[in-house]
Amino acid sequence: MESAVFHFSRLEHLLRGHSIRTVTVDGARAEFVTDPALVHRILVKDSKNYGKGELFQKARNLSRAGLLAQDESVHRHYRRLAHPHLRTAAVADYAPVMREIARAAVTSWRPGQAVNIQAEMCRVSADIALSTLLHGLPPDRSAVLGERLAALSWEMIRRPLHGKAAARAQRQRSSERLGRAREDVRALLASCIAGPLRSPGSGTDYLSALVSDSAKDGTPPLTAEQVCAEAVMLLTAATVTTASVMSWALYVMSEEPLIEEKVLKDMAQAGGGGVAPAHGRGPASYTLRFLMEVLRLYPPVWITCRRALTAVRLGERSFPEGTHVLFSSYLLHRDPVRYPDPHRFDPDRWLSTRPAADEASYIPFGTGAKGCIGESFAWKELEILLGAVVQEWQLTVEAGSRIRKAAETTLHPRRLLMVPQPR
């Protein structure tokens, strides 16, 4: 299944009826797991037996030192370091800044002039990430860094996910563009941390926490180069996922006028009170159900690889150390047993659907010890961005466009130009 691995209909056909099936990706053997109970076991109960897989590089192109380190103790240390800046209380404090940035971005659009939605969502998400997580930067430096981060994020979004299935020339061009964009961000960020490195502890944002970390628990502190890589990784991750999800959300609303009407009505009734993320259990509003359904059908991190660190057992089968294990949130979220009529966009399915706690049937942010640390941040940002756009504009897809799924580093629309008209 070399070149066809990411053709979803063929992949679903290949895996149908198998809880685990052996596949080949770029010449490497892997076990594809489709049973949500077994995926939950991999991510939660037996997570210590699995490390990051190397079939898909994803964000590991950006950093290997902190949150994405193979060493579990290093990962936990830098997760604890980032947590104060991403916990729910901190995110609530970020909300006014998020709203200001989102509002400024969407009011700059012009009626009737097509907007490259993915590029625009990269730009506004990059500005939000910088202004909340690295809020001590000078405004002029932050503006330039935001532009460079948006460019890097777009290159990450459309990077082919694995090697041999992509043409050699395409891989080379993608790697060259990504490398240049990464260096542009890294170099500017390095100049920004020169001051904090001379006087650590002077700031309160995430970058200051990385710079001043002494790693007293035995974890080696990051070098200046690693600080830059780690900050770029987190900022890029926050940007690419939000940009991809928002692109799908705005596209769905343009295709479903009744759903759009219900979201607008729900936001008006909420009066800016926001949504309360419930992780698939007990949704509180139509807007939340809408976003949950976007994340069900279009999870940005749509496929994941783990590598067995020891001999493991999954169901009735045993596998040796070093085995690559794959699972796809895209496929898990479209399981007809758990989601009747799985390909239909239906926010109201969440009025009765309650994913089991011991299954990974709904994991848009992952789950377990390595689940997305920025989940609360993402929910708030999605809510604010969605509100800023739909309350100002009605968007339609540019005439003649055919929107296709691009299964690359994130699952995103291949090309999405939309025309705004005032409400």
Side-chain angles (χ1 to χ4, degrees):
M1 80 171 209
E2 289 284 351
S3 62
V5 65
F6 301 139
H7 291 240
F8 287 118
S9 61
R10 296 163 72 177
L11 187 55
E12 287 179 282
H13 177 75
L14 176 72
L15 298 172
R16 187 175 299 131
H18 299 271
S19 59
I20 305 174
R21 181 158 187 177
T22 303
V23 298
T24 302
V25 178
D26 281 353
R29 174 179 168 135
E31 304 300 329
F32 209 122
V33 182
T34 62
D35 184 333
L38 294 182
V39 174
H40 185 272
R41 187 179 189 93
I42 293 167
L43 294 176
V44 180
K45 186 176 180 180
D46 295 340
S47 63
K48 66 181 183 301
N49 295 332
Y50 297 89
K52 295 284 186 180
E54 294 292 338
L55 292 184
F56 312 125
Q57 295 298 309
K58 295 185 181 177
R60 289 178 65 78
N61 289 288
L62 300 177
S63 175
R64 292 172 177 264
L67 279 168
L68 296 182
Q70 288 281 16
D71 188 293
E72 286 296 309
S73 62
V74 174
H75 168 81
R76 287 194 298 270
H77 173 84
Y78 287 100
R79 191 178 182 92
R80 287 194 296 268
L81 199 66
H83 176 72
H85 307 280
L86 294 167
R87 69 187 192 279
T88 302
V91 170
D93 292 338
Y94 300 153
V97 174
M98 290 182 176
R99 289 192 180 94
E100 180 181 349
I101 293 171
R103 175 70 177 168
V106 302
T107 55
S108 70
W109 300 351
R110 294 293 176 260
Q113 294 185 7
V115 176
N116 184 328
I117 289 296
Q118 292 179 93
E120 189 68 3
M121 290 301 105
C122 279
R123 185 175 70 84
V124 67
S125 299
D127 286 346
I128 287 174
L130 285 169
S131 297
T132 54
L133 302 177
L134 274 66
H135 51 72
L137 300 180
D140 57 339
R141 192 71 62 87
S142 183
V144 176
L145 189 56
E147 294 174 1
R148 295 185 183 181
L149 178 59
L152 171 60
S153 297
W154 178 230
E155 293 301 332
M156 280 294 295
I157 283 174
R158 61 183 181 151
R159 178 178 171 80
L161 193 57
H162 69 146
K164 296 178 184 177
R168 183 180 300 275
Q170 179 189 5
R171 295 201 312 273
Q172 183 175 352
R173 288 194 301 270
S174 175
S175 295
E176 289 173 352
R177 290 195 307 265
L178 182 63
R180 288 194 298 268
R182 181 173 58 234
E183 180 55 28
D184 284 346
V185 176
R186 191 211 63 79
L188 183 55
L189 192 59
S191 68
C192 293
I193 70 171
L197 281 171
R198 289 192 294 270
S199 55
S202 59
T204 59
D205 61 0
Y206 175 64
L207 182 60
S208 299
L210 287 175
V211 169
S212 60
D213 176 47
S214 60
K216 294 179 181 178
D217 58 4
T219 301
L222 300 181
T223 65
E225 180 69 23
Q226 290 171 328
V227 166
C228 286
E230 187 72 358
V232 171
M233 181 278 297
L234 189 65
L235 292 168
T236 306
T239 302
V240 300
T241 51
T242 298
S244 296
V245 176
M246 275 302 303
S247 297
W248 286 119
L250 297 175
Y251 169 68
V252 168
M253 292 186 72
S254 74
E255 295 291 295
E256 302 281 355
L258 291 179
I259 289 177
E260 180 182 41
E261 182 180 337
K262 289 180 181 180
V263 169
L264 284 166
K265 181 178 179 180
D266 183 66
M267 287 184 169
Q269 291 175 342
V275 299
H279 312 286
R281 296 181 293 278
S285 70
Y286 189 84
T287 302
L288 174 59
R289 299 199 297 275
F290 169 77
L291 288 172
M292 290 174 68
E293 190 71 343
V294 173
L295 283 160
R296 182 183 73 85
L297 287 174
Y298 306 108
V301 183
W302 62 276
I303 195 166
T304 302
C305 180
R306 293 283 188 265
R307 185 176 62 85
L309 301 178
T310 184
V312 296
R313 188 169 182 82
L314 288 170
E316 300 300 317
R317 299 178 61 183
S318 297
F319 301 98
E321 177 184 349
T323 298
H324 287 102
V325 179
L326 306 179
F327 56 90
S328 169
S329 56
Y330 180 97
L331 298 180
L332 291 166
H333 292 182
R334 293 171 185 246
D335 179 358
V337 173
R338 289 158 179 82
Y339 300 102
D341 197 1
H343 298 285
R344 182 167 65 94
F345 192 96
D346 178 17
D348 285 338
R349 73 172 68 245
W350 295 106
L351 291 171
S352 57
T353 299
R354 300 289 185 272
D358 59 350
E359 288 189 346
S361 59
Y362 185 71
I363 51 169
F365 295 97
T367 188
K370 294 188 178 73
C372 177
I373 192 173
E375 180 173 356
S376 294
F377 187 99
W379 278 115
K380 177 58 67 175
E381 185 177 19
L382 289 171
E383 170 215 334
I384 287 173
L385 280 174
L386 184 66
V389 174
V390 303
Q391 292 174 26
E392 186 79 21
W393 303 105
Q394 183 174 35
L395 298 177
T396 55
V397 175
E398 190 177 48
S401 296
R402 181 183 177 188
I403 308 305
R404 300 178 179 179
K405 294 189 290 288
E408 297 173 322
T409 298
T410 68
L411 181 66
H412 66 98
R414 177 67 66 186
R415 182 174 182 268
L416 184 59
L417 297 178
M418 304 190 79
V419 179
Q421 296 295 346
R423 288 285 175 192

